[in-house]
């Protein structure tokens, strides 16, 4: 969104959205669970007053005694038991609109759907990320970022044409320098006090020869500042024994993207790798019913006018900030697009993680950019923007123009 210091004043936000109000949450999602969990961990249990949770995909009013019951898509990280009980979950048709109702939208996928519903009915609302960033900062001087991704390697064991990290477009893919990754992580945690999801990605992370060093560095220095440390892998590469032991002994989650339903040649590899994870009780989950949608071709610009770019950016729920080479990118897809050397670097799209102030970092994380969008938006369909072009990971190699 277009940055304006008067409009985007954290003190004004707190006056409108404060701890004294009882809120209705819209969206029984994995984001909803993580949001509640993060606020409870950072500010204290029950500081966030929840009247009930609304969703369009529940049959009957239900009382939940564990926040993890809110969504089956949520995957637990650290074994921290939160004491919230008796959370009511109701269907959207049973939502009672009153003059003073304030709603926090707690879903990425259905943000636009609920935004339209709430605005049509003149209900005051905000997005959960505003609360998750501004409350910890204003009430406890805690800098909290919801998710940050670190690219450890451009190399991958697959070459999916519609990969959202644009792997086929790397002419000469390389591994990241270990010193650069360590420096980026150290700089990041000098300013960031807590991150809900810290995410190591590729390429294929287990091709990276220094992945053990990176994991150890995070575990030894920063794991208390991280709720979920996740590594996303395609399951075709079996980590070395030392890494298996490291994963077994520590709080690391593996997100395994299983593409073997359409890529028969990787089936035996994935089966072997998953057996090792199961036998060693490694915290992992398998995504094997994956719907892919086309993010667009980084080589093709839509040439949208400014007002439409701002609207497109504001509708996008991209959760992943990118940490790379001293830069904190608003969108990690933008990070990879720049690294292919096809898409140009633009100062609007990132901040310097070593020099940015705490408040300016949070405002950038919330989408307050100089242009009101990031330049890569003109080449990208975005996340949950309503542009849904189904594609398949079956196709390998550079896509056709």
């Amino acid at each position: 969104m277009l940055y304006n210091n008067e409009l985007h004043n954290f003190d004004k936000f707190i006056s409108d959205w404060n701890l004294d109000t009882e809120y209705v949450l819209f969206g029984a999602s994995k984001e909803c669970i993580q949001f509640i969990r993060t606020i409870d961990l950072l500010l204290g249990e029950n500081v966030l007053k929840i009247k009930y949770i609304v969703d369009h995909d529940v049959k009957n009013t239900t009382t939940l005694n564990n926040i993890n019951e809110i969504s089956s898509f949520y995957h637990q990280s650290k074994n921290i038991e939160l004491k919230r009980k008796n959370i009511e979950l109701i269907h959207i048709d049973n939502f009672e609109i009153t003059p003073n109702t304030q709603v926090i939208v707690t879903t990425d996928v259905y943000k636009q759907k609920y935004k339209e519903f709430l605005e049509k009915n003149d209900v005051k609302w905000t997005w959960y990320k505003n609360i998750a960033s501004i409350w910890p900062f204003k009430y406890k001087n805690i800098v909290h970022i919801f998710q940050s991704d670190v690219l450890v390697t451009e190399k991958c064991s697959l070459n999916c044409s519609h990969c959202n990290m644009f792997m086929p477009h790397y002419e000469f893919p390389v591994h990241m320098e270990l010193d650069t990754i360590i420096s980026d992580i150290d700089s990041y945690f000098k300013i960031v006090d807590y991150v809900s999801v810290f995410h190591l990605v590729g390429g294929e992370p287990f091709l990276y020869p220094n992945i053990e060093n990176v994991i150890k560095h995070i575990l030894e220095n920063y794991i208390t500042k991280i709720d979920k440390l996740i590594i996303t892998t395609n399951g075709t590469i079996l980590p070395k024994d030392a890494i298996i032991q490291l994963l077994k002994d520590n709080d690391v989650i593996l997100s395994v993207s299983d593409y073997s339903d359409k890529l028969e040649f990787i089936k035996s590899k994935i089966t072997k790798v998953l057996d090792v994870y199961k036998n060693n009780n490694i915290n992992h989950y398998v995504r094997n019913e994956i719907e892919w949608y086309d993010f667009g071709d980084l080589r093709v610009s839509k040439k949208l006018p400014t007002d439409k770019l701002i609207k497109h950016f504001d509708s996008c729920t991209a959760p992943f900030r990118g940490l790379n080479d001293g830069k904190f990118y608003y969108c990690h897809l933008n990070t990879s697009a720049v690294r292919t050397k096809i898409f140009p670097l633009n100062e609007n799209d990132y901040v310097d993680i070593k020099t940015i102030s705490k408040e300016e970092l949070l405002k950038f994380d919330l989408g307050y950019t100089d242009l009101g969008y990031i330049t890569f938006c003109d080449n990208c369909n975005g996340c949950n923007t309503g542009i849904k072009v189904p594609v398949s990971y079956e196709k390998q190699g550079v896509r056709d123009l």
Side-chain angles (χ1 to χ4, degrees), residues 25 32 36 40 46 50-54 61-70 83-90:
L25 307 189
C32 180
I36 296 171
D40 283 2
N46 300 315
I50 301 173
K51 187 173 183 180
Y52 49 76
I53 300 172
V54 175
T61 298
T62 306
T63 300
L64 305 172
N65 288 316
N66 184 327
I67 65 168
N68 291 340
E69 298 173 20
I70 292 172
K83 297 176 182 178
R84 283 189 182 268
K85 305 286 183 184
N86 302 317
I87 300 176
E88 194 173 29
L89 177 61
I90 71 170

Side-chain angles (χ1 to χ4, degrees), residues 28-292:
S29 66
K30 64 182 186 300
E31 295 88 28
C32 180
I33 301 174
Q34 187 65 62
F35 167 67
I36 296 171
R37 177 184 172 94
T38 296
I39 293 297
D40 283 2
L41 288 172
L42 296 182
L43 299 184
E45 291 184 353
N46 300 315
V47 167
L48 170 64
K49 299 179 179 67
I50 301 173
K51 187 173 183 180
Y52 49 76
I53 300 172
V54 175
D55 198 273
H56 68 283
D57 194 26
V58 293
K59 293 182 179 179
N60 303 302
T61 298
T62 306
T63 300
L64 305 172
N65 288 316
N66 184 327
I67 65 168
N68 291 340
E69 298 173 20
I70 292 172
S71 170
S72 60
F73 293 100
Y74 182 80
H75 299 281
Q76 181 72 293
S77 51
K78 298 174 183 175
N79 189 23
I80 300 172
E81 289 189 18
L82 300 179
K83 297 176 182 178
R84 283 189 182 268
K85 305 286 183 184
N86 302 317
I87 300 176
E88 194 173 29
L89 177 61
I90 71 170
H91 192 275
I92 194 170
D93 290 345
N94 297 323
F95 171 57
E96 295 183 11
I97 300 172
T98 62
N100 297 319
T101 298
Q102 288 184 246
V103 168
I104 303 171
V105 174
T106 52
T107 170
D108 289 348
V109 174
Y110 297 107
K111 178 189 175 187
Q112 286 301 115
K113 177 187 179 77
Y114 291 153
K115 173 182 180 289
E116 291 168 7
F117 171 85
L118 293 167
E119 291 179 350
K120 179 181 178 182
N121 289 282
D122 294 320
V123 178
K124 189 176 181 179
W125 74 278
T126 191
W127 197 23
Y128 72 95
K129 284 194 175 177
N130 295 327
I131 299 287
S133 292
I134 298 172
W135 276 14
F137 183 65
K138 294 303 295 183
Y139 288 121
K140 289 202 171 182
N141 197 31
I142 293 171
V143 174
H144 166 247
I145 302 292
F146 217 83
Q147 179 174 330
S148 295
D149 290 14
V150 178
L151 180 75
V152 297
T153 182
E154 298 167 356
K155 297 187 178 186
C156 192
S157 53
L158 299 176
N159 197 32
C160 303
S161 300
H162 294 92
C163 173
N164 67 1
M165 295 300 287
F166 313 113
M167 288 299 117
H169 294 283
Y170 283 90
E171 187 176 2
F172 302 107
V174 298
H175 297 305
M176 300 298 102
E177 292 289 341
L178 177 61
D179 289 348
T180 301
I181 293 177
I182 297 300
S183 175
D184 284 346
I185 292 171
D186 289 345
S187 297
Y188 177 89
F189 283 109
K190 279 181 182 177
I191 190 170
V192 175
D193 299 303
Y194 201 78
V195 57
S196 291
V197 179
F198 200 67
H199 191 197
L200 303 182
V201 299
E204 169 49 52
F206 290 123
L207 285 176
Y208 182 50
N210 295 309
I211 190 65
E212 181 182 356
N213 304 71
V214 174
I215 298 170
K216 277 185 176 180
H217 186 75
I218 296 169
L219 291 172
E220 290 171 359
N221 296 282
Y222 304 116
I223 196 60
T224 58
K225 291 187 167 191
I226 301 169
D227 187 18
K228 293 201 292 192
L229 174 58
I230 299 178
I231 303 173
T232 288
T233 171
N234 61 33
T236 63
I237 304 298
L238 180 64
K240 296 176 182 178
D241 290 345
I243 299 174
I244 292 294
Q245 190 63 45
L246 188 64
L247 297 172
K248 182 178 179 179
D249 294 342
N250 291 281
D251 241 331
V252 183
I253 300 175
L254 300 185
S255 173
V256 184
S257 302
D258 181 356
Y259 302 132
S260 61
D261 61 324
K262 289 187 172 66
L263 301 176
E264 185 68 28
F265 68 95
I266 65 173
K267 197 173 191 69
S268 61
K269 293 179 182 179
I270 291 179
T271 300
K272 179 182 178 181
V273 170
L274 290 178
D275 284 344
V276 171
Y277 293 161
K278 291 172 188 173
N279 293 337
N280 285 277
N281 293 315
I282 289 171
N283 191 356
H284 72 285
Y285 61 95
V286 181
R287 298 169 64 238
N288 53 13
E289 293 181 359
I290 305 169
E291 293 181 338
W292 271 27

